[in-house]
Amino acid sequence: MGLKFLTPGMLTTVQDAGRYGYQASGFGTSGAADLFSMRIANILVGNDPDEAALEMTMLGATVAFTSDAVVALTGADMDATLNGTPVPSYAAIAVAKGDVLKCGFAKTGLRAYLAVAGGFYLKPVMNSRSTNLKVGIGGYLGRAAKSDDLLFFNSTAPKVEGIADRKLDRNRYFPKGEVVRVVKGPQYDAFTEEGARTFFGATYTLTLDSDRMGIKLDGPAIESRNGSDIISDGIPLGGIQIPKSGKPIVMIADRQTTGGYAKIATALSVDIPLLAQKKPGETVKFKAVPLWIAHLLYRFRRHQLKRIQRLWNR
């Protein structure tokens, strides 16, 4: 059948690779904040990498399985236990009907992902099962999980070969570091040379106001030439807005479709997972790279995921 939430954690939602093709109508993409970790979780249980999974933030959920399943946890280390016994992350795990998986507070990272073999039985909304909390669509009833919620699986008898061998080195694949690589943004020239030096030279700290929409940073203000207000235009994943305060905001999964603040840079998609795993109080620095390097790193990430898939699909 599926799983039952005994406790929902701080913020647990269903997310997949995102809802694309509807931004012109005002619908944001949503999707996993750390798409890399979600995709690895799905690969470990034999799913398509973009299959929907559970995203848990800061404090994980406790769930009871109502049928046998194969699951995998990736992303933040939430000290997970199965029936009281510690279980590894970045590994496929066979669970039985009645088993209880408990995830605690994140020791490292911020967001963990739970994938189940076969995926969750949920109706797509605009071609995605991602939860959009702002408008209440997708996922499970368009909202975060609550105690006693039931989620059903697509498969009640998953066939996953070589479960014992489906494991990866967490230290190799968990997003970590301090440096976020960027390319110059569409309004880069709206900022002074001193403002650009500040942006690339300063260390910024994540604030408590950070969420799935944007990561708000505290640190030296970035100087603009004539203010940072612009006529609203589109906001890409990783767009770094500079509001009147001069403090950067990195726009991520639940970003709005348009905005009226100048964007000094755009964070590379391969470094969004690093940002998504940062807790408030942790720090980041920005480093400019040429566009061709951004393209190269994007292709490498795609190759990396395909290589992981080939480990068990030969």
Side-chain angles (χ1 to χ4, degrees), residues 174-198:
F174 176 72
K176 54 186 178 293
E178 187 181 47
V179 175
V180 175
R181 293 161 293 190
V182 305
V183 294
K184 292 180 180 179
Q187 290 89 35
Y188 181 81
D189 291 339
F191 301 92
T192 64
E193 291 183 6
E194 181 61 28
R197 281 194 293 269
T198 299

Side-chain angles (χ1 to χ4, degrees), residues 183 289-296:
V183 294
V289 299
L291 188 60
W292 71 268
I293 291 289
H295 290 164
L296 184 66

Side-chain angles (χ1 to χ4, degrees), residues 198-214:
T198 299
F199 178 73
F200 290 115
T203 297
Y204 287 93
T205 303
L206 274 75
T207 72
L208 289 170
D209 291 335
S210 301
D211 56 21
R212 278 180 45 87
M213 179 179 176

Side-chain angles (χ1 to χ4, degrees), residues 124-154:
V125 177
M126 292 182 280
N127 303 316
S128 173
R129 293 178 174 83
S130 283
T131 308
N132 185 324
L133 294 172
K134 293 180 180 297
V135 295
I137 62 171
Y140 181 81
L141 302 179
R143 61 169 172 78
K146 297 180 180 180
S147 295
D148 296 326
D149 281 349
L150 287 169
L151 275 180
F152 295 100
F153 301 155
N154 281 320

Side-chain angles (χ1 to χ4, degrees), residues 10-292:
M10 187 173 291
L11 176 65
T12 300
T13 59
V14 175
Q15 300 292 342
D16 58 19
R19 180 173 289 107
Y20 288 89
Y22 300 93
Q23 287 175 282
S25 300
F27 291 95
T29 62
S30 299
D34 176 359
L35 193 55
F36 185 52
S37 293
M38 186 206 76
R39 283 172 165 160
I40 290 178
N42 275 314
I43 292 171
L44 284 165
V45 297
N47 290 346
D48 182 280
D50 292 343
E51 181 61 61
L54 292 180
E55 179 182 275
M56 300 178 285
T57 304
M58 186 62 81
L59 173 64
T62 299
V63 300
F65 293 94
T66 59
S67 64
D68 295 350
V70 178
V71 303
L73 283 163
T74 58
D77 179 0
M78 290 186 169
D79 237 357
T81 61
L82 187 67
N83 303 325
T85 301
V87 292
S89 58
Y90 290 81
I93 304 164
V95 299
K97 180 179 179 180
D99 283 352
V100 174
L101 178 69
K102 181 179 181 180
C103 298
F105 279 97
K107 295 195 302 182
T108 57
L110 180 65
R111 294 177 171 94
Y113 294 86
L114 175 65
V116 300
F120 294 101
Y121 182 72
L122 293 166
K123 184 178 180 181
V125 177
M126 292 182 280
N127 303 316
S128 173
R129 293 178 174 83
S130 283
T131 308
N132 185 324
L133 294 172
K134 293 180 180 297
V135 295
I137 62 171
Y140 181 81
L141 302 179
R143 61 169 172 78
K146 297 180 180 180
S147 295
D148 296 326
D149 281 349
L150 287 169
L151 275 180
F152 295 100
F153 301 155
N154 281 320
S155 174
T156 56
K159 295 180 181 179
V160 182
E161 296 182 359
I163 292 176
D165 296 326
R166 288 178 172 263
K167 54 188 175 183
L168 296 169
D169 181 355
R170 181 180 189 276
N171 290 325
R172 182 176 180 182
Y173 294 103
F174 176 72
K176 54 186 178 293
E178 187 181 47
V179 175
V180 175
R181 293 161 293 190
V182 305
V183 294
K184 292 180 180 179
Q187 290 89 35
Y188 181 81
D189 291 339
F191 301 92
T192 64
E193 291 183 6
E194 181 61 28
R197 281 194 293 269
T198 299
F199 178 73
F200 290 115
T203 297
Y204 287 93
T205 303
L206 274 75
T207 72
L208 289 170
D209 291 335
S210 301
D211 56 21
R212 278 180 45 87
M213 179 179 176
I215 295 173
K216 295 185 178 182
L217 302 172
D218 191 24
I222 296 166
E223 183 181 72
S224 64
R225 297 185 186 277
N226 297 296
S228 58
D229 288 346
I230 61 170
I231 296 173
S232 291
D233 66 0
I235 298 180
L237 175 66
I240 302 176
Q241 291 186 316
I242 308 297
K244 294 179 181 179
S245 67
K247 309 295 179 70
I249 305 172
V250 187
M251 311 308 294
I252 57 171
D254 280 348
R255 65 197 180 279
Q256 69 271 35
T257 56
T258 62
Y261 294 131
K263 295 172 285 297
I264 192 171
T266 303
L268 271 57
S269 61
V270 297
D271 284 350
I272 296 297
L274 186 157
L275 285 161
Q277 292 296 351
K278 290 283 186 182
K279 293 188 181 79
E282 296 183 338
T283 57
V284 297
K285 296 178 179 179
F286 297 107
K287 177 183 178 181
V289 299
L291 188 60
W292 71 268

